[in-house]
């Protein structure tokens, strides 16, 4: 049997014929090609290049937020215009902002407007520029800051009667240096470093004189500059804005309210670093006012200030190394050797008369008022370490016994308290000296 087939609308049909079986061979259906349709009511359009092209070069202006945009510094550019249309052209405009005469030209032209003013081109953006600057200054807590303003400028070329011949829009980014209005009172406090002795009042610290700058912008009557609770400097009588300086202003007096914090900073830094002297800083805010003749506050400001500090302990001492020969069965005073130099350095401001090892000895120094350095050439280490006598004798005995020796060298480690005292005996300053004594122990 033979099968003969054909397709009709994509459906295979078969006719049975006599003969041998055979495979059906389909006949390809005709291809249908669909034509894309446009939306109803929309005609196909060809994109064409604008007949007007405007090039606005980048520039930056300095904009003071208390002044109009027209007063900003900078902003002049060379504005390039290219027109490929027809008609009599008389001007290029940003509608509602500015118009520049060109030509007149008949038909296509290229023209450059020299010294075009970006401030005028962006007149309609003035409120947005002001908001941009104010928000950026406030967010960064800044007096001045750089930022940008992004906008779109609509340009037209117009005929002599003002009718538009062509238009275009230009995306533009304007650079901004935003400047906030100066505060009524500005005070400049130069950096300086003072030498602070722990335990002593800030007012006796060494150093601290600076030339302080002051600028007042206002209409009030000013007679003095003050740090409330600390000091007051007379300025003479000023009515309205003025600039002046206070020479040899005393930072120690300006920061009188910070005395405890500065002492704490010095003591903590010295202790943390196990130091006799160290440099650090104290960060603070100083509140200034300018006042009228009756003391009324006319204006005020806070100034962030960093004061350099050289922190010192009031007393340091050094004791020269020596070795003594000790028989553990005899008093330490009978040991041989032991004369050493004892040096003391006092950095304070009080009167002193002697150096002492409490409970052991006292050496007269003469009368000193304030800082001094002095050395006692032949101080007796046996007297200095009198309080350690039992420990020294035990050290020798135990070391000899452990080593089954009749003589041996070893050391004794001690902490020696040293003080400087006033003539009436009261302690002015104290320090502790780590000391290692050499020992030759003999039986």
């Amino acid at each position: 049997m033979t099968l003969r087939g054909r397709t009709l609308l994509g459906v295979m049909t078969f006719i049975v014929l006599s003969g041998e079986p055979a495979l059906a061979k389909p006949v390809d259906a005709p291809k249908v090609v669909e034509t894309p349709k446009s939306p109803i009511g929309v005609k196909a359009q060809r994109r064409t290049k604008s007949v007007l092209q405007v090039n606005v070069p980048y520039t930056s202006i300095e904009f003071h937020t208390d002044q109009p945009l027209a007063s900003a510094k900078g902003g002049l550019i060379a504005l390039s215009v290219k027109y490929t249309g027809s008609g009599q052209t008389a001007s290029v405009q940003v509608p509602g902002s500015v118009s520049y005469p060109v030509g007149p030209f008949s038909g296509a032209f290229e023209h450059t407007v020299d010294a075009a003013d970006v401030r005028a081109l962006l007149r309609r953006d003035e409120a947005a520029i002001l908001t941009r600057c104010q928000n950026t200054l406030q967010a960064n807590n800044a007096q001045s800051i750089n930022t940008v303003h992004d906008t779109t400028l609509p340009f037209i070329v117009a005929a002599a009667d003002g009718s538009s011949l062509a238009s275009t829009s230009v995306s533009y980014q304007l650079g901004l240096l935003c400047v906030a209005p100066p505060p009524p009172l500005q005070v400049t406090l130069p950096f300086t470093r003072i030498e602070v002795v722990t335990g002593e009042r800030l007012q006796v610290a060494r150093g601290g004189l600076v030339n302080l700058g002051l600028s007042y912008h206002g209409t009030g009557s000013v007679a003095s500059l003050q740090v409330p609770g600390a000091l007051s400097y007379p300025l003479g009588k000023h009515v309205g804005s003025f600039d002046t300086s206070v020479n040899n202003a005393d930072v120690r007096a300006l920061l009188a309210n910070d005395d405890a914090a500065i002492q704490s900073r010095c003591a903590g830094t010295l202790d943390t670093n196990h130091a006799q002297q160290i440099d650090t800083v104290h960060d603070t805010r100083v509140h200034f006012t300018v006042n009228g003749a009756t003391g009324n506050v006319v204006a005020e400001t806070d100034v962030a200030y960093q004061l350099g500090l050289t922190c010192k302990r009031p007393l340091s001492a050094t004791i020269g190394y020596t070795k003594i020969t000790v028989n553990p069965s005899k008093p330490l005073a009978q040991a041989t050797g032991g004369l050493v130099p004892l040096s003391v350095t006092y950095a304070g401001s009080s009167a002193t008369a002697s150096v002492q090892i409490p409970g052991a000895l006292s050496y007269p120094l003469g009368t000193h008022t304030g800082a001094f350095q002095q050395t006692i050439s032949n101080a007796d280490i046996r007297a200095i370490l009198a309080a350690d006598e039992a420990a020294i004798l035990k050290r020798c005995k135990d070391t000899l016994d452990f080593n089954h020796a009749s003589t041996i060298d070893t050391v004794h480690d001690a902490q020696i308290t040293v003080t400087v005292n006033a003539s009436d005996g009261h302690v002015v300053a104290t320090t502790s000296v780590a000391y290692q004594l050499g020992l030759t122990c003999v039986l």
Side-chain angles (χ1 to χ4, degrees):
M1 181 177 66
T2 300
L3 295 176
R4 181 175 297 169
R6 63 180 179 175
T7 59
L8 181 61
L9 296 177
V11 178
M12 180 70 76
T13 61
F14 295 92
I15 301 173
V16 180
L17 302 175
S18 62
E20 297 299 324
L23 295 175
K25 182 177 181 180
V27 177
D28 293 337
K31 295 181 180 179
V32 178
V33 179
E34 295 186 359
T35 302
K37 297 180 179 180
S38 299
I40 297 175
V42 178
K43 295 182 179 180
Q45 295 181 354
R46 178 182 299 174
R47 297 184 64 184
T48 59
K49 190 173 184 180
S50 173
V51 297
L52 175 61
Q53 298 176 53
V54 180
N55 178 44
V56 187
Y58 174 84
T59 192
S60 180
I61 62 173
E62 181 181 313
F63 178 59
H64 292 248
T65 58
D66 61 337
Q67 299 175 12
L69 180 63
S71 298
K73 297 177 182 177
L76 299 183
I77 57 171
L79 184 74
S80 300
V81 182
K82 182 178 181 180
Y83 176 61
T84 56
S86 59
Q88 290 285 333
T89 306
S91 64
V92 57
Q93 301 179 23
V94 174
S97 293
V98 68
S99 175
Y100 291 110
V102 293
F105 295 107
S106 179
F109 70 90
E110 293 186 20
H111 181 73
T112 298
V113 179
D114 294 319
D117 193 336
V118 163
R119 299 166 298 184
L121 293 173
L122 272 71
R123 183 174 294 130
R124 298 189 308 176
D125 288 43
E126 181 163 0
I129 291 170
L130 175 61
T131 299
R132 174 69 174 174
C133 275
Q134 288 176 332
N135 290 344
T136 307
L137 287 164
Q138 182 177 359
N140 292 275
N141 192 28
Q143 189 66 30
S144 64
I145 197 166
N146 286 302
T147 186
V148 294
H149 170 67
D150 294 302
T151 189
T152 300
L153 292 171
F155 285 92
I156 66 169
V157 286
D161 61 2
S163 60
S164 174
L165 300 176
S167 64
T168 190
S169 293
V170 178
S171 296
Y172 187 65
Q173 185 175 83
L174 172 66
L176 293 171
L177 171 58
C178 303
V179 182
L185 177 61
Q186 293 176 283
V187 177
T188 304
L189 191 58
F191 175 84
T192 192
R193 181 177 295 277
I194 62 174
E195 185 179 295
V196 176
V197 176
T198 56
E200 298 213 332
R201 295 168 300 164
L202 181 63
Q203 70 184 52
V204 299
R206 295 179 178 87
L209 299 182
V210 296
N211 293 333
L212 181 151
L214 182 152
S215 181
Y216 171 67
H217 301 275
T219 58
S221 177
V222 173
S224 66
L225 171 71
Q226 299 185 22
V227 175
L231 56 74
S232 175
Y233 288 113
L235 298 175
K237 186 176 181 180
H238 298 274
V239 177
S241 300
F242 69 95
D243 296 323
T244 190
S245 62
V246 178
N247 295 328
N248 295 319
D250 193 337
V251 166
R252 298 166 300 182
L254 293 172
L255 296 183
N257 297 329
D258 288 44
D259 195 341
I262 291 171
Q263 284 290 335
S264 177
R265 175 69 174 175
C266 273
T269 307
L270 287 166
D271 290 345
T272 299
N273 293 276
H274 307 288
Q276 284 294 123
Q277 176 177 323
I278 198 166
D279 286 341
T280 185
V281 295
H282 170 66
D283 293 302
T284 189
R285 296 190 72 84
V286 186
H287 185 69
F288 287 95
T289 66
V290 284
N291 300 65
T294 61
N296 59 299
V297 174
V298 176
E300 56 191 325
T301 189
D302 284 331
V303 177
Y305 187 65
Q306 185 175 82
L307 173 65
L309 300 173
T310 296
C311 303
K312 290 184 174 183
R313 298 192 189 276
L315 180 63
S316 63
T318 60
I319 302 172
Y321 174 81
T322 191
K323 179 183 283 189
I324 61 175
T325 301
V326 177
N327 186 325
S329 63
K330 295 181 179 181
L332 182 62
Q334 295 182 17
T336 58
L339 297 182
V340 293
L342 168 62
S343 295
V344 290
T345 301
Y346 175 64
S349 58
S350 299
T352 54
S354 65
V355 57
Q356 297 187 21
I357 312 297
L361 56 78
S362 175
Y363 290 109
L365 296 173
T367 300
H368 296 279
T369 299
F372 71 91
Q373 192 277 334
Q374 190 165 334
T375 299
I376 298 165
S377 301
N378 294 307
D380 191 338
I381 200 65
R382 296 167 300 180
I384 290 172
L385 290 174
D388 287 40
E389 180 171 3
I392 292 170
L393 296 179
K394 185 176 185 301
R395 175 71 173 174
C396 272
K397 183 179 184 305
D398 290 348
T399 307
L400 288 165
D401 290 347
F402 181 82
N403 290 278
H404 306 289
S406 59
T407 181
I408 197 166
D409 287 338
T410 186
V411 295
H412 169 70
D413 293 306
Q415 285 286 333
I416 304 172
T417 299
V418 180
T419 66
V420 286
N421 300 63
S423 57
D424 62 1
H426 80 267
V427 175
V428 174
T430 184
T431 190
S432 182
V433 180
Y435 187 72
Q436 187 175 80
L437 174 66
L439 300 172
T440 296
C441 303
V442 298
L443 293 175

